[in-house]
Amino acid sequence: MERRVDVDALLDWYGETARDLPWRHRGVTAWQILMSEIMLQQTPVVRVEPIWREWVARWPVPSAMASSSQAEVLRAWGKLGYPRRALRLHECARVLTEQHGDEVPEDVEVLLGLPGIGAYTARAVACFAYGQRVPVVDTNVRRVIARAVHGRGDAGNPSTRDLAEAEALLPTHIGRAATFSAALMELGATVCTARRPDCERCPLPECAWVRAGRPAADVVRRAQKYEGTDRQARGRLLDVLRTASGPVERVRLDMAWTRDTGQRNRALDSLLVDGLIEQTDDGLFALAGEGGASA
């Protein structure tokens, strides 16, 4: 890679301006960082922070969550979206309790073997919880590298090259490398944003994209709508069950989404397939793990 990112400039900027996020504080455990990383996937910090604080108080260690039911975890997840993440985290807590001594492992390959832990999350935990020198690549990091190093307006689709390119930028010193990864991500999240990059605030003295005249992205990405989607329908149905004290009749779910019967049926079927809800022997519907309440 010909061009590099100015490590000292980026680290100085991060030390002065980094957001005071609670999962960055001293004393936060690897389990608590893992919870934050799962919650932050496709969800803004402002929505995650209050829920994360509640979860840390309620489930400070994996065994605490493992001893709770799936339904309890789903209710606590609230409206963070993509609730399958909550179920996978509950499953992960059980595995950590039973197979890893109630601790989150340090090794990336071991982390990758845990339920719901993908390539990004495994490396994020290794880096941010244990200070390891491993590349951590999310959308923000890919965008900064695309612009500062390659002069492109957009990172394009994820590639097998992403990890290697990020690793090539890491400082050799392990402690600086972990902070650098956090700083690179912070730069993309707060300054080098997708829609309105604030180049005046960028700490990098050199940027290939700026030098090239800030060419437009090759692909214009459309914002995903939510109103009227299957996701919204699923959310409405889940809301009914989250607020219920036990299994409910089908009519309660039917009333929650009346605009499109076919879409409602499709949403209900997908919730059953995903294991987020279940149907009792007598035809009622409940959150995962609560279907036996009516027996």
Side-chain angles (χ1 to χ4, degrees):
M1 187 179 297
E2 295 181 1
R3 301 185 188 281
R4 301 188 63 85
V5 171
D6 190 315
V7 173
D8 291 333
L10 183 61
L11 292 181
D12 288 345
W13 168 82
Y14 182 73
E16 296 172 359
T17 66
R19 292 170 293 176
D20 183 24
L21 303 178
W23 40 85
R24 290 176 174 170
H25 292 180
R26 289 185 179 274
V28 175
T29 67
W31 164 245
Q32 294 161 3
I33 289 174
L34 173 59
M35 288 197 294
S36 74
E37 290 296 342
I38 296 296
M39 290 179 171
L40 286 165
Q41 294 170 15
Q42 298 177 287
T43 307
V45 167
V46 67
R47 292 178 57 198
V48 167
E49 184 171 344
I51 304 297
W52 180 84
R53 291 183 182 277
E54 293 174 5
W55 282 42
V56 167
R58 185 173 183 178
W59 296 305
V61 293
S63 57
M65 179 178 288
S67 65
S68 298
S69 68
Q70 292 174 308
E72 288 177 288
V73 174
L74 283 171
R75 284 196 175 91
W77 187 259
K79 295 181 179 293
L80 283 181
Y82 304 99
R84 277 178 293 182
R85 291 180 291 170
L87 282 188
R88 296 293 277 169
L89 187 57
H90 181 268
E91 185 182 356
C92 183
R94 179 185 59 78
V95 172
L96 292 173
T97 302
E98 297 175 356
Q99 301 178 22
H100 296 279
D102 214 15
E103 298 285 346
V104 176
E106 300 182 28
D107 185 80
V108 170
E109 293 304 317
V110 178
L111 285 163
L112 286 169
L114 296 173
I117 307 303
Y120 164 78
T121 305
R123 288 172 174 81
V125 171
C127 177
F128 303 140
Y130 294 113
Q132 294 184 28
R133 186 184 182 276
V134 293
V136 184
V137 180
D138 70 349
T139 302
N140 292 313
V141 170
R142 293 176 61 246
R143 185 188 316 111
V144 171
I145 293 176
R147 288 174 176 169
V149 177
H150 299 298
R152 300 195 303 264
D154 186 82
N157 294 322
S159 166
T160 55
R161 299 189 305 271
D162 293 338
L163 284 175
E165 291 190 348
E167 186 169 14
L169 297 175
L170 293 176
T172 55
H173 185 276
I174 293 177
R176 281 165 60 87
T179 306
F180 177 85
S181 291
L184 202 62
M185 193 175 298
E186 183 83 349
L187 183 64
T190 63
V191 176
C192 193
T193 58
R195 294 184 180 276
R196 294 184 177 85
D198 190 351
C199 295
E200 294 299 319
R201 290 202 301 124
C202 181
L204 301 182
E206 294 289 334
C207 174
W209 186 54
V210 171
R211 184 183 299 104
R214 306 209 305 179
D218 295 332
V219 178
V220 178
R221 301 184 184 277
R222 301 181 183 276
Q224 292 184 343
K225 68 174 185 176
Y226 179 71
E227 181 67 28
T229 62
D230 285 5
R231 277 188 59 215
Q232 186 182 31
R234 282 165 55 100
R236 293 282 180 83
L237 300 184
L238 271 180
D239 283 345
V240 172
L241 299 178
R242 273 196 295 255
T243 57
S245 58
V248 304
E249 296 181 347
R250 171 65 185 263
V251 66
R252 291 272 303 277
L253 299 177
D254 291 344
M255 292 173 61
W257 190 263
T258 58
R259 67 172 67 183
D260 186 329
T261 302
Q263 186 180 43
R264 182 181 66 226
N265 293 339
R266 187 166 63 247
L268 182 60
D269 287 343
S270 69
L271 290 171
L272 288 166
V273 169
D274 288 344
L276 292 165
I277 69 174
E278 54 193 39
Q279 192 168 14
T280 67
D281 292 339
D282 51 358
L284 302 180
F285 293 86
L287 286 179
E290 290 190 332
S294 66

